[in-house]
Amino acid sequence: MKKVASKIFVFKLKDIIKTAIFAVLGIIIIGAVIAFFSGSFKSTYKEGTYNSDIILQGKPVTLSVTVGKNEIESISLEQLNETQEVFYPGFSNCIDDLANKVVEMQSTDIELNNDYAVTESILLDAINRALDEAKR
């Protein structure tokens, strides 16, 4: 019968720690890559048209925001009657410019026009409310 000699392995603690650290870093990097790419295929918004009301002279004016899966497509004011246009001319004057900026930038974080700062901030609040509804 042949005698088998026992084999003893000797590892340096420094090598074991290095290997463990690289293994953990590798797992973290792989997890981050998977999370990054899986998140890019999720849509930011639920497609559709979302409304937010602004009360002018006790009557609602509807601001409509149309969104696709990943983008703001259009913004418009609806139900703005003649009386409201006369008393609040800033709304009809600045909605087109503001809508173009938001659609172009795909964000409501834009610089306000000094001439219509209050009106644009009211409109931006309404746009944000509609976009919050689209994110749900």
Side-chain angles (χ1 to χ4, degrees):
M1 208 189 234
K2 208 176 189 185
K3 232 178 177 183
V4 177
S6 300
K7 294 183 180 182
I8 298 175
F9 294 99
V10 179
F11 295 103
K12 293 181 184 176
L13 185 60
K14 183 170 70 172
D15 292 338
I16 293 172
I17 292 173
K18 278 188 208 176
T19 304
I21 289 173
F22 284 125
V24 169
L25 285 175
I27 291 170
I28 290 172
I29 290 171
I30 290 171
V33 168
I34 290 171
F36 177 75
F37 285 112
S38 68
S40 66
F41 295 113
K42 292 180 183 176
S43 62
T44 305
Y45 301 113
K46 185 177 176 187
E47 290 182 62
T49 300
Y50 298 89
N51 299 321
S52 180
D53 288 335
I54 303 168
I55 306 299
L56 298 176
Q57 292 184 317
K59 295 181 182 179
V61 174
T62 303
L63 183 127
S64 295
V65 179
T66 303
V67 295
K69 274 191 175 184
N70 292 315
E71 67 180 0
I72 302 167
E73 294 177 354
S74 67
I75 300 169
S76 63
L77 272 180
E78 299 173 8
Q79 302 172 347
L80 185 65
N81 64 37
E82 285 183 33
T83 306
Q84 291 166 326
E85 282 189 53
V86 169
F87 285 103
Y88 302 98
F91 281 90
S92 56
N93 290 342
C94 73
I95 186 62
D96 293 330
D97 184 45
L98 184 66
N100 289 336
K101 285 180 188 176
V102 171
V103 170
E104 180 182 323
M105 300 293 290
Q106 291 297 304
S107 170
T108 55
D109 188 23
I110 59 173
E111 190 174 324
L112 299 178
N113 182 340
N114 289 333
D115 296 334
Y116 298 108
V118 174
T119 303
E120 285 186 351
S121 68
I122 292 169
L123 290 169
L124 284 174
D125 287 342
I127 293 168
N128 283 326
R129 286 194 307 269
L131 290 175
D132 286 343
E133 191 177 323
K135 289 179 185 177
R136 295 182 190 160

